[in-house]
Amino acid sequence: MILHRVQNKNFFVETLAGLPNIDLRTKEHSPMMQLLALLLWPICPRFMQDYVTTLGSKVYMPSRLFHTEAGAYALIHEAQHVRDWETYGLWFVATYLLLPLPVVLTGRAYWEYKAYVAALRARIARQGGLWSTAQIEAIVAQF
């Protein structure tokens, strides 16, 4: 069990080191994230505990994900959002935030698709396997 934790911590640290454009912060220590959580409470009460949030190159992650395998894959996912922000700028923001309406292809769905593909590729490269059925169903439920 301890070896598994050390391996996950190393994977997390190595993943973060390979993403130089990421400014990783704990979500709980951010006054801005606390305010956002208050505003989102009616529609997303677990915003602080369950969601990683990226604004520009800053990635706000719940501290429970630090040094975990799930946290490493979340970093890879969020790094794709940072790359999209760097490449597309305000177009990325506008289509992610302003086009979340349920239509054939929403802006948010497109950007999330790219980010989940990045994390999935990393998982296949590292472990040669896919996510569990429960993890896939959790991703699909977001759309």
Side-chain angles (χ1 to χ4, degrees):
M1 181 59 119
I2 291 177
L3 178 60
H4 182 68
R5 268 188 267 150
V6 169
Q7 289 172 337
N8 287 340
K9 182 177 180 178
N10 290 342
F11 178 48
F12 182 90
V13 171
E14 290 166 7
T15 299
L16 183 58
L19 304 170
N21 295 344
I22 299 287
D23 180 4
L24 182 61
R25 299 167 182 223
T26 58
K27 200 168 194 179
E28 298 87 348
H29 295 110
S30 168
M32 181 176 53
M33 289 294 115
Q34 292 171 1
L35 176 61
L36 197 52
L38 205 59
L39 296 172
L40 292 173
W41 180 261
I43 60 171
C44 189
R46 298 202 42 87
F47 174 75
M48 291 295 280
Q49 297 87 2
D50 294 343
Y51 296 90
V52 180
T53 306
T54 298
L55 299 172
S57 63
K58 293 179 179 70
V59 175
Y60 298 90
M61 179 181 284
S63 59
R64 70 177 180 77
L65 291 177
F66 275 63
H67 303 293
T68 67
E69 182 180 43
Y73 288 120
L75 282 174
I76 293 165
H77 175 106
E78 299 304 323
Q80 182 62 51
H81 291 320
V82 171
R83 284 190 292 276
D84 289 336
W85 158 253
E86 290 172 343
T87 303
Y88 301 103
L90 291 177
W91 176 250
F92 168 73
V93 175
T95 56
Y96 191 96
L97 295 177
L98 302 178
L99 295 178
L101 304 174
V103 294
V104 175
L105 178 65
T106 66
R108 179 180 178 273
Y110 171 73
W111 302 117
E112 287 297 330
Y113 166 79
K114 287 180 66 176
Y116 280 113
V117 166
L120 184 57
R121 284 184 178 148
R123 180 159 186 129
I124 290 169
R126 181 169 188 253
Q127 298 178 346
L130 301 177
W131 283 307
S132 70
T133 302
Q135 289 169 312
I136 292 170
E137 288 173 357
I139 292 168
V140 170
Q142 294 182 41
F143 299 97

